[in-house]
Amino acid sequence: MSTTTLATPHTEELLAALTEIVDLSNQDLIQENANVDGQSPMGQMSKLASETAKFYTKNRILSEEVIQAINDNYLHPHDLDFMATGTTTCCQIPLGKLLKGGFNTGHGFMREPNDISSALALSSIILQSNQNMQHGGQSYPLFDYDLAPYVHKTYCNHLKRLKSYPITLTLEEIEELAWKETDRDVYQASESFIHNCNSMHSRGGGQVPFISINYGTDTSKEGRLLIKNILLATKAGLGNGETPIFPIQVFKIKKGINFDTEEPNYDLYQLALVTTAKRLFPNFSFIDSSFNKPFYDGTPDSEVAYMGCRTRVMANIHGQENSIGRGNLSFISINIVKIALTADNYQSFLLKLDYYLDLAIKQLLERYEFQINKRAKHFSFLYGQHVWKDSDKLNSEDKLETVLKHGTLSVGFIGLAEALVSLTGKHHGESESAYQLGYQIVKYMRVKMDQASEKYQLNFSLIATPAEGLSGKFTKRDQQTFGKIKGITDRSYYTNSFHIPVYYSIIAIEKITKEGPFHSLCNGGHISYIECNGDVSKNVEALDVLVKTMAVSDFGYGSINHPVDRCKCCGYTGIINNECPSCQNQSEDMIERIRRITGYLVGDMSKWNTAKRSEEQERVKHK
């Protein structure tokens, strides 16, 4: 580890940033993350700590070479403010194991629940407790399978009670009534879980936990009942009809289970389409894609699971290859636009890209060394409650290498479209030759990650960066260096990862087929969106076509965007232009506009930074 004393940023710059936070005068600074209310007291405290922690990390932990690359706007280590704490990014939580054995949040033991209401209540507590152990999100990879036993317990409770009554009903009638009451309980528990996900707070009250759930393939009666009711509760919305922001919901698509009409969960897939048409969730993942199917052996544990904005963790050179009890350790993004702008030709671009890929790998290794030298006791819930794979083998004083070696280290990228314009004059949406070049660039980065995995015996991966705050940071600094170059630096944001630019008019099917091949290259995470116009709830068949096209185009993870507005005056939900069609409200402050920012939803666009607001305004609809 370096103990460099480079003052980057300088003390004066740090004080200036802290002043902007106190004065709430810099929207882009206080709202880098739209999931955090940066204007609240706890949000301000968090941001003050964040900027100070970054200052410490740059001056006491990072190597000078990495600091220089950050200062030169080529590299961006994500969540740098958490580096000094040794936290990891995210984790796929083995919910069934925690519920079965019970768990301790640090203030008392929670025993195994006896019904679905208690099980989902404890599921919320697990998420809230775990959020304080890491800097990213968390997910339940087997939401339906893990909770089905507690649906069954609920049914057994009702059956036992009904059998004790002196009533003249047949056993078949009693069983039918028990299932009916169970159905009611599962809906109420699902409704409560969704309300909890949008109201409980973590990290000192600064934000609600960043939560994902994966479901859709459990064909048992209990599992199907849970899937149905979580979708119905999502579709119904919150107390005043608001669209739930969390959990991020991922419906897993699998041939033989829910893909075609004769399959057992096809009806639930149709309900998922109806729900996403109204609430933007669930998104859709594809177990049968060329890069997810090889992991699938017919068991639930082998099904791919996604979390957060797009993170995917499957391959593992140190053991069983699945998502359970594993996560991303950290990731860093490369500004390939600046590399292109400073390259004389494609060969010099590759040489420079190679240098910064090596440097990104070096930074991830530095951070990994820092993380594994923490001790299990420093993360009492993650490791003490055996959330992470193999953490049951740790004592409180043990260091973390044997556990964290199962995680992933990811390099991401931003602005493929703008880089291609710099190199060829056109982006990959408008030119076939630019498209082929873009594919080769991303493939080059993926090969580099595979080589790093082999060399260092760690799970390196390539991620399609979910650029939120970074989309404007890289661009703003490049504008200071290069000015505004048409098609490259003339907007306030760079295009997210490998996506076709949001402002480029393209047919939906063509966008899907063009972006699909990039999913297999970005094994650390990926997502693609389609922007629909109008009320898609009136054309669910079209959504079905889009999802099926994603499946045949080798998507791993996709979602469908469309306008979801709500009038705060009368509660009307639908498309609202300048005036509410129900009560004629024309006040923009009284209209909630739900939009997807990088992979998750945000209902109050006042929490968006300038770059993402600009990007949202320029999104064209795909016909």
Side-chain angles (χ1 to χ4, degrees), residues 520-536:
S520 64
L521 298 178
C522 299
N523 59 333
H526 41 251
I527 193 171
S528 290
Y529 322 105
I530 291 299
E531 296 283 339
C532 294
N533 200 4
D535 187 355
V536 296

Side-chain angles (χ1 to χ4, degrees), residues 608-619:
W608 289 38
N609 62 61
T610 304
K612 295 308 289 186
R613 282 195 207 178
S614 177
E615 186 236 72
E616 193 279 333
Q617 291 171 359
E618 295 186 6
R619 293 176 186 175

Side-chain angles (χ1 to χ4, degrees), residues 11 110 112 117 141 164 173 247 258 264 284 323 386 388 503 512 535:
T11 306
M110 309 292 172
E112 182 178 358
S117 296
S164 69
E173 289 172 331
N258 52 32
F284 298 91
S323 297
H386 309 154
W388 263 80
Y503 52 80
I512 291 171
D535 187 355

Side-chain angles (χ1 to χ4, degrees), residues 49-83:
S50 171
E51 292 303 309
T52 307
K54 289 177 188 176
F55 179 84
Y56 174 85
T57 299
K58 288 181 178 181
N59 281 272
R60 290 290 183 268
I61 300 178
L62 293 180
S63 62
E64 293 188 25
E65 196 176 15
V66 170
I67 293 173
Q68 191 63 53
I70 295 171
N71 291 343
D72 290 342
N73 207 37
Y74 285 108
L75 293 183
H76 176 82
H78 292 265
D79 301 292
L80 191 63
D81 45 349
F82 280 95
M83 184 172 175

Side-chain angles (χ1 to χ4, degrees), residues 267-411:
D267 58 331
L268 296 176
Y269 164 62
Q270 291 297 309
L271 179 58
L273 291 175
V274 171
T275 305
T276 202
K278 185 170 185 181
R279 299 298 184 185
L280 291 164
F281 283 146
N283 301 334
F284 298 91
S285 67
F286 302 89
I287 295 173
D288 291 323
S289 66
S290 65
F291 45 89
N292 288 331
K293 192 172 184 178
F295 296 101
Y296 183 70
D297 62 12
T299 63
D301 284 7
S302 65
E303 296 177 358
V304 69
Y306 289 82
M307 71 177 108
C309 297
R310 66 200 63 192
T311 305
R312 173 185 178 272
V313 176
M314 289 298 287
N316 184 12
I317 61 177
H318 290 291
Q320 190 174 9
E321 296 189 303
N322 61 26
S323 297
I324 315 301
R326 301 174 59 216
N328 179 252
L329 304 179
S330 61
F331 78 104
I332 182 171
S333 288
I334 298 179
N335 183 356
I336 61 173
V337 185
K338 184 168 184 180
I339 295 176
L341 285 169
T342 54
D344 295 326
N345 51 47
Y346 182 58
Q347 287 306 313
S348 65
F349 169 82
L350 285 182
L351 286 172
K352 199 163 190 177
L353 177 61
D354 204 56
Y355 171 79
Y356 284 107
L357 284 169
D358 284 337
L359 199 54
I361 292 167
K362 173 184 171 69
Q363 192 276 325
L364 290 173
L365 289 170
E366 289 177 352
R367 192 164 187 166
Y368 176 73
E369 286 297 320
F370 194 86
Q371 289 169 323
I372 63 175
N373 280 293
K374 290 288 184 175
R375 300 184 187 275
K377 66 180 182 181
H378 298 143
F379 306 91
S380 57
F381 192 82
L382 266 180
Y383 310 125
Q385 300 306 304
H386 309 154
V387 174
W388 263 80
K389 183 179 178 64
D390 285 350
S391 58
D392 56 336
K393 301 173 184 177
L394 295 177
N395 294 314
S396 62
E397 292 293 335
D398 287 343
K399 294 185 179 181
L400 305 175
E401 183 174 9
T402 57
V403 170
L404 295 188
K405 68 181 182 181
H406 294 295
T408 61
L409 297 163
S410 299
V411 174

Side-chain angles (χ1 to χ4, degrees), residues 488-547:
I488 306 174
T489 59
D490 57 340
R491 288 179 165 83
S492 59
Y493 60 91
Y494 285 151
T495 298
N496 195 324
S497 61
F498 57 73
H499 292 175
I500 306 294
V502 298
Y503 52 80
Y504 181 68
S505 182
I506 187 172
I507 296 171
I509 301 300
E510 185 180 358
K511 184 178 192 291
I512 291 171
T513 56
K514 280 185 176 292
E515 292 189 3
F518 289 98
H519 285 224
S520 64
L521 298 178
C522 299
N523 59 333
H526 41 251
I527 193 171
S528 290
Y529 322 105
I530 291 299
E531 296 283 339
C532 294
N533 200 4
D535 187 355
V536 296
S537 65
K538 294 182 171 63
N539 194 0
V540 175
E541 293 83 358
L543 299 187
D544 182 35
V545 171
L546 291 176
V547 174

